[in-house]
Amino acid sequence: MARVLHNLLLFLLRLAQGVRVLGYWSLIYGYCALCTTVALLKLWWSIILRPTTTFQWVIRETPPGCLNDTSLGTHCYVRIKESGLRFHYVAAGERGKPLMLFLHGFPEFWFSWRYQLREFKSEFRVVAVDMRGYGESDLPLSTESYHFEYLVTDVKDIVEYLGYNRCCLVGHDWGGTIAWLFAIHYPEMVTKLIVLNCPHPSVFTDYALRHPSQLLKSSHFFFFQLPRFPELMLSINDFKALKALFTSRSTGIGRKGRWLTAEDLEAYLYALSQPGALTGALNYYRNVFSSLPLSQNHVRSPVLLLWGERDTFLEQEMAEACRLYIRNHFRLNIISGASHWLQQDQPDIVNTLIWTFLKEGEGRKSYRN
């Protein structure tokens, strides 16, 4: 009798787990369907209002001059033996100085750190990487190639290739997520962690599940799960949606700060118009729901979190909640008037706050190998 009850209990537990998993994926794909319907309606409406809508785009063959600005650094490449992938990065500052590594977000590339490359090269070896799937780095075709574990390992391999065993790590948006995860899994390799407009992964997950407002702001996560259609929506009318993302009043770069120039915008369009570029960028989102949970989630490095007050993609309340996951010094600065792209529209303030943080505590000697 006891054995029968034991087996019945196991069956019920497995059934409950199966129902939970089924409900989880039903919710995700149901929301995907809703977001797709909204996108289709917008597309249909734009075709009616603008019959000249074109589904083709121009592949930019010549990079704008700003990408070859020598004041930003030297263009370099590295092929990682383990993954076989080639990465592009821009480096400045003397070799042997402490390493400051920059990880960009979506839909950007190394160029988003142009103001920081100029600022910190005086005392650091500054390196801004094109992450896998972006810019001139390799673009793996399979979605599985963009799992978090591979993205984190990329950072480790690049740091070691550059001849360092630790660095000051700076990340924004998706680059911020990878920076958080890298600091969690390789704490000995991060002297200080600087994250811009990206909450700790556990904070984002918990908050989004409990606050419908954030779930609505994250609707693009669900829409981007679809194959090919998001690429179409982002690229029609010569990347009109991406242009709006960078320049509109609600989401764009620069309101009270520095505006994105026409040449700066063309640099982004040059990178994103290359074959496969949009798919590589979107594959970061296509793995987010299937990634394994963190085995442990506390950060032991000193952390600076910078947050743009005008971020339209993330609720500001998540920033303070990150404190719960820091086992070291934590500084949070909310920058008034700054957008989600705060290192570009408020670079002077961002750079000043980073300098202040770098000079706190252990001092500059802590950055050397």
Side-chain angles (χ1 to χ4, degrees), residues 12 89 117 193 213 237 275 340:
L12 292 174
Y89 64 92
L117 287 171
L193 177 64
S213 58
N237 284 326
H340 178 75

Side-chain angles (χ1 to χ4, degrees), residues 248-318:
S248 71
R249 288 181 177 272
S250 58
T251 64
I253 297 174
R255 190 175 185 180
K256 295 181 179 179
R258 302 191 185 187
W259 293 97
L260 196 69
T261 68
E263 189 177 39
D264 292 340
L265 179 60
E266 193 59 30
Y268 282 109
L269 297 181
Y270 168 78
L272 293 166
S273 71
Q274 303 307 308
L278 275 178
T279 298
L282 291 171
N283 277 342
Y284 281 69
Y285 290 93
R286 289 167 177 156
N287 281 289
V288 69
F289 295 115
S290 59
S291 295
L292 296 175
L294 297 174
S295 57
Q296 54 94 14
N297 54 12
H298 291 107
V299 176
R300 292 174 173 79
S301 308
V303 177
L304 170 64
L305 179 57
L306 301 178
W307 203 274
E309 178 192 39
R310 201 171 55 85
D311 192 327
T312 57
F313 304 105
L314 297 166
E315 294 283 356
Q316 188 173 308
E317 287 77 7
M318 287 189 287

Side-chain angles (χ1 to χ4, degrees), residues 349-362:
I349 296 175
V350 167
N351 292 346
T352 298
L353 291 172
I354 291 177
W355 274 125
T356 301
F357 176 70
L358 292 174
K359 294 175 182 178
E360 288 178 342
E362 300 177 17

Side-chain angles (χ1 to χ4, degrees), residues 33-335:
L34 176 62
C35 294
T36 304
T37 302
V38 172
L40 284 170
L41 289 173
K42 288 181 178 180
L43 177 61
W44 175 74
W45 187 248
S46 67
I47 293 174
I48 289 179
L49 292 180
R50 187 179 177 184
T52 57
T53 297
T54 173
F55 295 93
Q56 297 180 340
W57 64 91
V58 177
I59 296 177
R60 274 74 174 171
E61 297 182 356
T62 304
C66 59
L67 295 183
N68 295 316
D69 185 348
T70 56
S71 70
L72 296 176
T74 303
H75 292 259
C76 308
Y77 299 87
V78 52
R79 186 171 296 278
I80 303 300
K81 292 182 179 179
E82 289 75 8
S83 66
L85 297 179
R86 189 184 78 154
F87 289 87
H88 167 257
Y89 64 92
V90 173
E94 295 180 17
R95 297 178 183 273
K97 286 188 175 182
L99 175 63
M100 179 179 284
L101 184 65
F102 296 94
L103 308 178
H104 64 81
F106 172 89
E108 302 172 284
F109 64 121
W110 71 266
F111 186 67
S112 66
W113 299 109
R114 56 196 177 280
Y115 297 111
Q116 288 68 46
L117 287 171
R118 290 194 185 100
E119 177 70 21
F120 296 100
K121 66 182 180 181
S122 60
E123 295 194 24
F124 291 87
R125 176 65 171 172
V126 289
V127 173
V129 180
D130 278 341
M131 298 173 69
R132 74 163 64 189
Y134 281 95
E136 294 185 52
S137 291
D138 281 349
L139 311 171
L141 296 178
S142 68
T143 304
E144 292 73 20
S145 298
Y146 295 84
H147 283 168
F148 286 151
E149 60 182 297
Y150 299 135
L151 302 174
V152 170
T153 302
D154 287 344
V155 178
K156 176 178 180 293
D157 290 340
I158 290 170
V159 170
E160 292 177 344
Y161 169 83
L162 293 171
Y164 292 83
N165 54 37
R166 54 182 178 169
C167 67
C168 173
L169 189 58
V170 188
H172 169 250
D173 187 77
W174 264 111
T177 298
I178 305 307
W180 282 113
L181 294 173
F182 184 79
I184 290 169
H185 290 287
Y186 297 100
E188 73 283 356
M189 297 186 71
V190 181
T191 54
K192 287 195 174 183
L193 177 64
I194 301 169
V195 179
L196 290 75
N197 275 77
C198 179
H200 185 286
S202 296
V203 170
F204 179 81
T205 302
D206 295 342
Y207 191 91
L209 291 174
R210 291 184 289 107
H211 294 81
S213 58
Q214 181 56 55
L215 204 60
L216 289 173
K217 289 185 175 184
S218 302
S219 60
H220 57 288
F221 276 64
F222 299 87
F223 175 59
F224 290 163
Q225 302 306 306
L226 301 171
R228 299 186 181 180
F229 187 57
E231 284 92 330
L232 171 66
M233 293 299 295
L234 290 174
S235 60
I236 60 173
N237 284 326
D238 197 31
F239 301 97
K240 180 180 178 181
L242 288 175
K243 292 176 183 177
L245 182 66
F246 286 122
T247 61
S248 71
R249 288 181 177 272
S250 58
T251 64
I253 297 174
R255 190 175 185 180
K256 295 181 179 179
R258 302 191 185 187
W259 293 97
L260 196 69
T261 68
E263 189 177 39
D264 292 340
L265 179 60
E266 193 59 30
Y268 282 109
L269 297 181
Y270 168 78
L272 293 166
S273 71
Q274 303 307 308
L278 275 178
T279 298
L282 291 171
N283 277 342
Y284 281 69
Y285 290 93
R286 289 167 177 156
N287 281 289
V288 69
F289 295 115
S290 59
S291 295
L292 296 175
L294 297 174
S295 57
Q296 54 94 14
N297 54 12
H298 291 107
V299 176
R300 292 174 173 79
S301 308
V303 177
L304 170 64
L305 179 57
L306 301 178
W307 203 274
E309 178 192 39
R310 201 171 55 85
D311 192 327
T312 57
F313 304 105
L314 297 166
E315 294 283 356
Q316 188 173 308
E317 287 77 7
M318 287 189 287
E320 184 61 40
C322 293
R323 189 183 303 274
L324 300 173
Y325 296 93
I326 312 302
R327 292 292 181 263
N328 206 313
H329 174 62
F330 175 66
R331 174 183 286 274
L332 169 63
N333 290 106
I334 309 294
I335 302 178

